[in-house]
Amino acid sequence: MKQWISFSILIILILICAEILTESKSILDAVSFSLSIWKNNIFPSLFPFFVLSEIMVKYGMTEFIGNLLKPFMNKLFRIKSSAAFVLVMSIISGNPANAKYTRELYLNGDLNEYEATKILCFSCFANPLFVLGTVGLLFLNNKEVGILILLCHYISNLFIGLFLRNYHPSPAECEKVSLIGAVKSAHKKRLSNKSTFGEIVTNSLLHSINTLLLVLGVMTMCLIITTIIDNNISLNSVLQSVLNGSIEMTQGLKYISLEAIPLKLKCVLSVMILSFGGLSVHLQITSILSDTKIKYLPFLFSRILHSFISGILLFILFDFWIDIF
């Protein structure tokens, strides 16, 4: 059976190579589009956060934020306070940054396998600048609906955290919040790290660039796949856009914005695609976590649930939101 699976994969790869050779122009356009998105949107928005977050982890920011948000993480999500760092940084920087932050804390021993899996499930946020700028202004040409999409995307993800609060709950921690205690915890963490500042910065730069190159490679591969599908399968244009979005998020969002459908439906489909993330984001995250025991299936289930909750929430709030503005 395994031999036939391997042979089938080989045949598919041969067919893909043949498609690349025969439809080289459309494939090259897809690669150029991928490089453009990476260069203009992904690299500028993620690189600074990737570098700074790794430096901050070494200097005890995990302990500092964890101490200040301890009651919030313990009572609401029943998870270890150090996971607060992943949640806060992911809200600011977007995916696949949550996988990078989760991996760092897991390898440092700050989170166990189940805690890392749990925080991964409800910290998968789209980059806010991408949602407001690219989706809201560039694609949909409407700043107000961009804000609504962002709010529904964020709020519904926190619902996932509440839904999973009883999934391997962490032991209760002392919920006393102290700024002085948080500073002392951060300082203690820094003293335990023997690397010099120069070594920390150098490693942060190398790790961040390697992660972003991985993101570029996966995104380009998924865009090539969607281009091949478009060249060979004829579907209803809206279904085609949704299919493309389920594989590569950015391309699907762009095509949906061009469809001759009501703005409300465009927004619902857009927030659902953003919340699911697309195969590209899923592959990026699994690649980053490949050397850990963090589980993927709960993450996949959470993305499907996140997609439906955000779509329903936006559908309910859309008319009210438009009336306000």
Coordinates of all heavy atoms in Angstrom, one line a residue, residues 148-191:
L148 N -14.0 45.9 10.9 CA -15.0 44.9 11.3 C -14.5 43.5 11.1 O -14.6 42.6 12.0 CB -16.3 45.0 10.6 CG -17.4 44.0 10.9 CD1 -17.8 44.1 12.3 CD2 -18.6 44.2 10.0
I149 N -13.8 43.2 10.0 CA -13.2 41.9 9.7 C -12.2 41.6 10.8 O -12.1 40.5 11.3 CB -12.6 41.9 8.3 CG1 -13.7 41.9 7.2 CG2 -11.7 40.7 8.1 CD1 -13.2 42.0 5.8
L150 N -11.3 42.6 11.1 CA -10.3 42.4 12.1 C -10.9 42.1 13.5 O -10.4 41.1 14.1 CB -9.4 43.7 12.2 CG -8.2 43.6 13.1 CD1 -7.2 42.6 12.6 CD2 -7.6 44.9 13.3
L151 N -11.9 42.8 13.9 CA -12.5 42.6 15.2 C -13.2 41.2 15.2 O -13.0 40.5 16.2 CB -13.6 43.6 15.5 CG -13.1 45.1 15.7 CD1 -14.2 46.0 15.9 CD2 -12.2 45.1 17.0
C152 N -13.9 40.8 14.2 CA -14.6 39.5 14.2 C -13.5 38.4 14.2 O -13.7 37.3 14.9 CB -15.5 39.3 13.0 SG -16.9 40.4 13.0
H153 N -12.5 38.6 13.5 CA -11.4 37.6 13.4 C -10.7 37.4 14.8 O -10.4 36.3 15.2 CB -10.3 38.1 12.4 CG -9.1 37.3 12.3 ND1 -9.1 35.9 11.9 CD2 -7.8 37.6 12.6 CE1 -7.8 35.5 11.9 NE2 -7.1 36.5 12.4
Y154 N -10.5 38.5 15.5 CA -9.8 38.5 16.8 C -10.7 37.9 17.9 O -10.3 37.0 18.6 CB -9.3 39.9 17.2 CG -8.0 40.2 16.6 CD1 -7.6 39.7 15.4 CD2 -7.1 41.1 17.3 CE1 -6.3 40.1 14.8 CE2 -5.9 41.4 16.8 CZ -5.5 40.9 15.5 OH -4.3 41.3 15.0
I155 N -12.0 38.4 17.9 CA -12.9 38.0 19.0 C -13.2 36.5 18.9 O -13.2 35.8 19.9 CB -14.2 38.9 18.9 CG1 -13.9 40.3 19.3 CG2 -15.2 38.3 19.9 CD1 -15.0 41.3 19.0
S156 N -13.5 36.1 17.7 CA -13.8 34.6 17.5 C -12.7 33.7 17.9 O -12.9 32.6 18.3 CB -14.3 34.4 16.0 OG -13.3 34.8 15.1
N157 N -11.4 34.2 17.7 CA -10.3 33.4 18.1 C -10.2 33.2 19.6 O -9.8 32.2 20.1 CB -9.0 34.0 17.6 CG -7.9 33.0 17.2 OD1 -8.2 31.8 17.3 ND2 -6.8 33.4 16.9
L158 N -10.6 34.3 20.3 CA -10.6 34.2 21.8 C -11.7 33.2 22.3 O -11.6 32.6 23.3 CB -10.8 35.6 22.4 CG -9.7 36.6 22.1 CD1 -10.0 37.9 22.8 CD2 -8.4 36.1 22.6
F159 N -12.8 33.1 21.5 CA -13.8 32.1 21.8 C -13.3 30.7 21.7 O -13.6 29.9 22.5 CB -15.0 32.2 20.8 CG -15.9 33.4 21.0 CD1 -16.7 33.9 20.0 CD2 -16.0 34.0 22.2 CE1 -17.6 35.0 20.2 CE2 -16.8 35.1 22.4 CZ -17.6 35.6 21.4
I160 N -12.3 30.5 20.8 CA -11.7 29.2 20.6 C -10.9 28.9 21.9 O -10.9 27.8 22.4 CB -10.7 29.2 19.4 CG1 -11.4 29.5 18.1 CG2 -10.0 27.8 19.3 CD1 -12.5 28.5 17.8
G161 N -10.2 29.9 22.5 CA -9.5 29.8 23.7 C -10.4 29.4 24.9 O -10.1 28.5 25.7
L162 N -11.6 30.0 24.9 CA -12.6 29.6 26.0 C -13.1 28.2 25.7 O -13.4 27.5 26.7 CB -13.8 30.6 26.0 CG -13.4 32.1 26.4 CD1 -14.6 33.0 26.2 CD2 -12.9 32.1 27.8
F163 N -13.3 27.9 24.5 CA -13.8 26.5 24.1 C -12.9 25.4 24.6 O -13.2 24.4 25.0 CB -14.1 26.5 22.6 CG -14.6 25.1 22.1 CD1 -15.9 24.8 22.3 CD2 -13.8 24.3 21.5 CE1 -16.4 23.5 21.9 CE2 -14.2 23.0 21.0 CZ -15.5 22.7 21.2
L164 N -11.5 25.8 24.5 CA -10.5 24.8 24.8 C -10.0 24.9 26.2 O -9.0 24.3 26.5 CB -9.3 24.9 23.8 CG -9.6 24.6 22.3 CD1 -8.4 25.0 21.5 CD2 -10.0 23.2 22.1
R165 N -10.6 25.7 27.0 CA -10.1 25.9 28.4 C -9.9 24.7 29.2 O -9.1 24.6 30.1 CB -10.9 27.0 29.1 CG -12.3 26.6 29.6 CD -13.1 27.8 30.1 NE -12.4 28.5 31.1 CZ -12.6 28.2 32.4 NH1 -13.4 27.2 32.8 NH2 -12.0 28.9 33.3
N166 N -10.8 23.6 29.0 CA -10.7 22.4 29.7 C -9.8 21.3 29.0 O -9.8 20.2 29.4 CB -12.1 21.8 30.0 CG -12.8 22.7 30.9 OD1 -12.3 23.2 31.9 ND2 -14.1 22.9 30.7
Y167 N -9.2 21.7 27.9 CA -8.2 20.8 27.2 C -6.9 20.8 27.9 O -6.2 21.8 27.9 CB -8.1 21.3 25.7 CG -7.0 20.5 25.0 CD1 -7.3 19.3 24.4 CD2 -5.7 21.1 24.8 CE1 -6.3 18.6 23.7 CE2 -4.8 20.4 24.0 CZ -5.1 19.1 23.5 OH -4.1 18.4 22.8
H168 N -6.6 19.8 28.7 CA -5.4 19.6 29.5 C -5.1 20.9 30.2 O -4.1 21.6 30.0 CB -4.2 19.3 28.5 CG -4.3 17.9 27.9 ND1 -4.0 16.8 28.6 CD2 -4.7 17.6 26.7 CE1 -4.2 15.7 27.8 NE2 -4.6 16.2 26.6
P169 N -6.0 21.3 31.2 CA -5.8 22.6 31.9 C -4.5 22.5 32.7 O -4.1 21.5 33.3 CB -7.0 22.6 32.8 CG -7.5 21.2 32.9 CD -7.2 20.6 31.6
S170 N -3.8 23.7 32.7 CA -2.5 23.8 33.5 C -2.8 23.9 35.0 O -3.9 24.4 35.4 CB -1.7 25.0 33.0 OG -1.5 24.9 31.7
P171 N -1.9 23.4 35.8 CA -2.1 23.6 37.3 C -2.3 25.1 37.6 O -1.7 25.9 37.0 CB -0.8 23.0 37.9 CG -0.3 22.1 36.8 CD -0.7 22.7 35.5
A172 N -3.1 25.3 38.6 CA -3.4 26.7 39.0 C -2.1 27.3 39.6 O -1.3 26.7 40.2 CB -4.5 26.7 40.1
E173 N -1.9 28.6 39.3 CA -0.8 29.4 39.7 C -1.2 30.5 40.7 O -2.4 30.8 40.7 CB -0.1 30.1 38.5 CG 0.5 29.1 37.5 CD 1.1 29.8 36.3 OE1 0.3 30.4 35.5 OE2 2.3 29.8 36.2
C174 N -0.3 30.9 41.5 CA -0.6 32.1 42.4 C -1.0 33.3 41.5 O -0.2 33.6 40.6 CB 0.6 32.4 43.3 SG 0.4 33.9 44.3
E175 N -2.2 33.9 41.7 CA -2.7 34.9 40.8 C -2.3 36.3 41.3 O -2.9 37.3 40.8 CB -4.2 34.7 40.7 CG -4.5 33.4 39.9 CD -6.0 33.3 39.7 OE1 -6.8 34.2 40.1 OE2 -6.4 32.3 39.1
K176 N -1.5 36.4 42.3 CA -1.1 37.7 42.8 C -0.2 38.4 41.7 O 0.7 37.9 41.2 CB -0.3 37.6 44.1 CG 0.1 39.0 44.6 CD 0.9 38.8 45.9 CE 1.3 40.1 46.5 NZ 2.1 40.0 47.8
V177 N -0.6 39.7 41.3 CA 0.1 40.4 40.3 C 0.9 41.5 40.9 O 0.5 42.2 41.8 CB -0.9 41.1 39.3 CG1 -0.2 42.0 38.3 CG2 -1.8 40.0 38.6
S178 N 2.2 41.5 40.5 CA 3.1 42.4 41.1 C 4.1 42.9 40.0 O 4.8 42.1 39.4 CB 3.9 41.8 42.3 OG 5.0 42.6 42.7
L179 N 4.1 44.2 39.8 CA 5.1 44.8 38.8 C 6.5 44.5 39.2 O 7.3 44.1 38.4 CB 4.8 46.3 38.7 CG 5.7 47.0 37.7 CD1 5.5 46.4 36.3 CD2 5.4 48.5 37.6
I180 N 6.8 44.7 40.5 CA 8.2 44.4 41.0 C 8.5 42.9 40.8 O 9.6 42.6 40.4 CB 8.3 44.8 42.5 CG1 8.1 46.4 42.6 CG2 9.6 44.4 43.0 CD1 8.1 46.8 44.0
G181 N 7.6 42.1 41.1 CA 7.8 40.6 40.9 C 8.0 40.3 39.5 O 8.9 39.4 39.2
A182 N 7.3 41.0 38.6 CA 7.5 40.7 37.2 C 8.8 41.1 36.7 O 9.5 40.4 35.9 CB 6.4 41.5 36.4
V183 N 9.3 42.3 37.2 CA 10.6 42.8 36.8 C 11.7 41.8 37.4 O 12.7 41.5 36.7 CB 10.9 44.2 37.4 CG1 12.3 44.7 37.2 CG2 9.9 45.2 36.7
K184 N 11.5 41.4 38.6 CA 12.5 40.4 39.2 C 12.6 39.1 38.4 O 13.7 38.6 38.2 CB 12.2 40.2 40.6 CG 12.5 41.3 41.6 CD 12.1 41.0 43.0 CE 12.5 42.1 44.0 NZ 12.1 41.8 45.4
S185 N 11.4 38.6 38.0 CA 11.4 37.4 37.2 C 12.1 37.6 35.9 O 12.8 36.7 35.4 CB 9.9 37.0 36.9 OG 9.3 36.7 38.1
A186 N 11.9 38.7 35.2 CA 12.6 39.0 33.9 C 14.1 39.1 34.1 O 14.8 38.5 33.3 CB 12.0 40.3 33.3
H187 N 14.5 39.7 35.2 CA 15.9 39.9 35.5 C 16.6 38.5 35.8 O 17.7 38.2 35.3 CB 16.2 40.8 36.6 CG 17.6 41.1 36.9 ND1 18.5 41.6 36.0 CD2 18.3 40.8 38.0 CE1 19.7 41.7 36.6 NE2 19.6 41.2 37.8
K188 N 15.9 37.7 36.5 CA 16.4 36.3 36.8 C 16.5 35.5 35.5 O 17.5 34.8 35.4 CB 15.4 35.7 37.8 CG 15.9 34.3 38.2 CD 14.8 33.7 39.2 CE 15.3 32.3 39.7 NZ 14.3 31.7 40.6
K189 N 15.6 35.6 34.6 CA 15.7 34.9 33.3 C 16.9 35.4 32.6 O 17.7 34.6 32.0 CB 14.4 35.2 32.5 CG 14.5 34.5 31.1 CD 14.4 33.0 31.2 CE 14.4 32.4 29.8 NZ 14.3 31.0 29.8
R190 N 17.2 36.7 32.5 CA 18.3 37.2 31.8 C 19.6 36.7 32.4 O 20.6 36.4 31.7 CB 18.3 38.8 31.8 CG 19.5 39.4 31.2 CD 19.7 39.1 29.7 NE 20.9 39.5 29.2 CZ 21.9 38.7 28.7 NH1 21.8 37.4 28.9 NH2 23.0 39.2 28.2
L191 N 19.7 36.7 33.7 CA 20.9 36.2 34.4 C 21.2 34.7 34.1 O 22.4 34.3 34.0 CB 20.8 36.4 35.9 CG 20.8 37.9 36.4 CD1 20.7 37.9 37.9 CD2 22.1 38.6 35.9

